Amino acid sequence: MPNERGVRMTDGRTTGSARAFELLEPLVQAATVRVHAPPGGYENPRSHRTGPTWGSGFFVAPGWVLTCAHVVGEGGAAVRLTGREVGITFSAGSVTGTVTGRVECVLPDRLEQRRPAPHALWDLPDLALVRVLAPVTHACVWLTDRSRPRFDEVAYFGCTEDLGAPEITGRTTRLRGTAGNGAAIRLGDDDEIEPGMSGGPVVDLARGEVVGVLKARRRSGGGGVAVSVVQLRTLPMAARGQVGLYRRIMQAHDLYHYDQHLSDLDNRRTWTDVHGELPPEEGDPYAGRGRLTPGERTTLCGLLAALPPPGSSEVVRALVEAARGEEPDPLPPAPLSWRDGLGLLHDPPGGTAEAAAMLRYATDVSVAEYREPATPGADEELWDWVRATAERLWRPLRRELGERHERGLAERERRRRASAGRAVYEPARRSGALPTGASVLLEVWAHGWEDVYDWRVSVLAGPAHAGRLTPVDSGVRATLAGLPEALRVPLAEGFRRCDTHETVALLEVAVAPALFGLAVDEWVVVGGVPLGVQRPVVLRHPAGSGPGTARPAAPNPGGAREHPADREGTEGSARWARVRTGPLQDERADCVGGRPRTPATEWLTGLPDNTVPVHCRAADQEPTLGSLHAVRDAGYGVVVTRRPPPDPAVSCAPFHRGLREELADAGRAEVLPERLQHLRGRAYGADPDAYWAAGTGLVWEDPARPLPDEEPLQGDL
């Protein structure tokens, strides 16, 4: 009979989770390290003594150690984390070595400015990446590709001193749930987490993969909290044209295990070998059949790592949806690499074989457009592997994959012919115009009559899938002052999904006109730079009813809310077409000579189609509030607003003069969002000639980007 651990003695050998622990323990111990002061310490650099243990960590790729930020923060609030040198002691076979590492990045990045009080929990995800400063030979763990852990038995490892000397040991427990919107994993109290184990790996015993990083233990008894390794995807995005740190590390991780799998230089067990020896999972509907073998999975990850990374997260999600047959899990964090897409293909719906879904996905990746030219033959090698692997499955799938590959090649050739006349990897859009891909949509609305607000962040598909909305996160009852902090993480996740290697995504802020003064462009989300400097930010009228909201006369089959400019043949559509191509003519809507005025409807409708109405006064007060509704009803899709300076005695003349020159220089409206971003950047960089643009907002009702005809819920009853 099995005991409470599910272990049955059979011919003297353990089975179940105990057997999995026996198999995985040597691999995990070989990759787990002790973190301490640099060799010699800061006060005696010539000494080779390492001093007390700060915590643990583990190699995730050659030369890279993952640990907790609070581990490398040993020493208090005065210590700068990024760039700090630490000591790393590790084992290579029977030899123990010590090397210096440098902290490359910490998460969240605000830990550099705001540290918790002594003995308090550090903010999630509380992670640090350490780059080893010398070439050393070491082992690496196998990281999970799944977005969510399975609540089953795990083992955790770290540095302990039970016998008086530091050593890497492991214990077992079960996962009990998640916290922090999935960023944290709760560990059961089956065993105790010792001091010094923080930063060590948490391993899923059934699947043989690292799912978490030990963070904290409970004050009394056993158990504690770990951080999901998937939070590595929240590493800062790369600058334009560069490969991000997350993609670099995961590429190195997959190529390391691929090389280990193919090598015949020694007979030591690899992670791939052990994956093939793990006991079968209970309740596996495939009983091992219908899944890729461990060797096939390692090979596929290696072949995907040899390709250039995807252009954006949305590219990965689209290919996953095509292979899986349904939209993938929208919960954060977003998939950033080809490997992350595989993690969304486990256990596909309707009993579909997992291997078939992964082979469809790999086929589509082999004919995808990459962000840069692939190494010659890399995409063909992936397709050759797909075709060979399908041989062990069934004939209809082999035929389907072949047809899928042919269609993909034809489509790629069509796209390349369409791009003739420009560089192959040059962005296919007009200079200064907005990107045609997905954008991030922020909606904020009043919570009833109270002075608090509900919000929602979504990904709004581009014109190719007009009106399609993918939720990211939502919240209720936030104050205006609390909105920037409440929205910091959801907005960062939205940008990760939509930003590409060529350009940053547009942020569309859909609020009632009374909230057009919301200073979203001044919020800081990542990188310490205001949003309006990092990317184009525009205002939208919200979906649903409200003053000045024109509803379509007939049902809209696309399910998207119309603006008067959306309907062909209307005055609004004529205005949009005219203002988009220019030239532009500004017209003061809410003031004359610096004094407020209320524009007449007849006057607004009689202005030329290339007019851009300009507002210089507070949006939540009359006459500006009424004017904003009136210009929308008159069909104007491009409108300028401004948050006036605190001193009401300051003249608006410099603003109107600077804006007139800017509109004349722009020539056409389609470049205004990016030109306004550039103006904000100049003002942020202390250019006095751009100070007039402070607080400027742009209302941008692009008919090609309709908002879904779906009103957000108005809070709880």
Side-chain angles (χ1 to χ4, degrees), residues 456-517:
R456 179 171 65 182
V457 175
S458 311
V459 171
L460 183 63
H465 303 281
R468 178 174 174 178
L469 203 68
T470 304
V472 173
D473 202 355
S474 60
V476 297
R477 304 184 65 83
T479 63
L480 284 180
L483 277 174
E485 180 61 24
L487 286 161
R488 182 180 54 80
V489 173
L491 285 175
E493 174 64 19
F495 298 146
R496 272 190 295 275
R497 295 190 185 188
C498 298
D499 287 351
T500 74
H501 67 286
E502 294 178 341
T503 185
V504 294
L506 170 71
L507 173 60
E508 304 188 59
V509 183
V511 292
L515 289 177
F516 278 1

Side-chain angles (χ1 to χ4, degrees), residues 7 13-24 269 277-279:
V7 180
R13 297 187 64 186
T14 55
T15 61
S17 58
R19 176 59 179 162
F21 185 89
E22 289 178 355
L23 291 169
L24 291 165
R269 278 180 173 153
E277 299 176 35
L278 290 175

